[in-house]
Amino acid sequence: MRSSINFARRFTTQQPISTFATQSLFTSSTRFAHNVTRLNHIAIAVPNLAAATENYKKLLGCHVSEPQPEPDHGVTVVFVTLGNTKIELLEPLGENSPIAKFLEKNPSGGMHHLCVEVTDLKGSIQEMKTKKVRLLNDEPKIGAHKNPVVFIHPKDTNGVLLEFEEVPVTKQ
């Protein structure tokens, strides 16, 4: 029990990920040269954005942003602001939305991806290619925060879709 409390405590601090997660989650041979700095958000796919938004407002009492359509990604998003990170609620936008496909398999919704901040996205992409890690997009796209992002295939991250987002130092 004590070790699970310590694990939870380590991942709920505002301390950057690079100071503890790379020590505990990755071996020295898999440490990233591109400087993972912290968890940016946890994304949850939802079938009804308005209902999910009200639910999170009621449950957590946190600020929730206005819906933001992201046609390039096929989603509409809202962000639930927490003290040390955000929850991104994703609703499909259009028939070809990757979230629509996710919701076909998970009709009630569920966790879609984790997003971590990096200081050098191009270096991260190159490093992933060198390590033969599959990327869903070889070139960065502009994400919901208006920053460049790239997604790593879940088959290379223990079944979890992982997003790298390059955040300018002033936004961190």
Side-chain angles (χ1 to χ4, degrees):
M1 179 70 166
R2 186 164 177 78
S3 63
S4 63
I5 291 170
N6 288 337
F7 180 83
R9 191 174 294 136
R10 288 170 70 184
F11 285 95
T12 57
T13 67
Q14 291 208 7
Q15 190 175 9
I17 283 179
S18 60
T19 60
F20 56 82
T22 55
Q23 296 164 5
S24 61
L25 296 178
F26 307 115
T27 65
S28 60
S29 65
T30 60
R31 288 207 179 135
F32 298 132
H34 52 264
N35 221 356
V36 174
T37 59
R38 69 182 192 119
L39 177 68
N40 182 282
H41 65 266
I42 299 166
I44 300 173
V46 299
N48 182 320
L49 190 59
T53 298
E54 287 307 310
N55 188 41
Y56 277 87
K57 279 183 189 177
K58 182 179 167 184
L59 287 173
L60 301 178
C62 297
H63 172 75
V64 179
S65 71
E66 291 297 316
Q68 178 180 327
E70 294 291 333
D72 290 346
H73 295 278
V75 297
T76 300
V77 304
V78 299
F79 288 97
V80 180
T81 304
L82 306 174
N84 60 349
T85 193
K86 295 175 282 301
I87 298 172
E88 179 184 45
L89 302 176
L90 305 165
E91 179 182 61
L93 178 64
E95 293 177 10
N96 296 325
S97 169
I99 300 303
K101 293 176 182 125
F102 180 90
L103 290 172
E104 285 176 13
K105 296 176 186 171
N106 307 279
S108 298
M111 193 186 86
H112 185 260
H113 69 269
L114 298 176
C115 175
V116 294
E117 295 178 4
V118 298
T119 58
D120 177 13
L121 187 59
K122 289 190 186 232
S124 300
I125 291 169
Q126 187 57 46
E127 184 172 351
M128 294 300 103
K129 287 180 179 180
T130 299
K131 293 181 176 182
K132 308 264 189 267
V133 172
R134 291 167 279 191
L135 303 173
L136 296 185
N137 50 306
D138 287 333
E139 292 297 319
K141 294 182 177 184
I142 299 301
H145 294 115
K146 308 302 179 220
N147 295 321
V149 300
V150 67
F151 287 88
I152 297 174
H153 199 289
K155 288 185 178 177
D156 292 327
T157 53
N158 302 97
V160 176
L161 181 60
L162 186 62
E163 177 183 20
F164 283 171
E165 178 177 357
E166 185 176 274
V167 178
V169 175
T170 57
K171 288 188 178 182
Q172 295 178 355

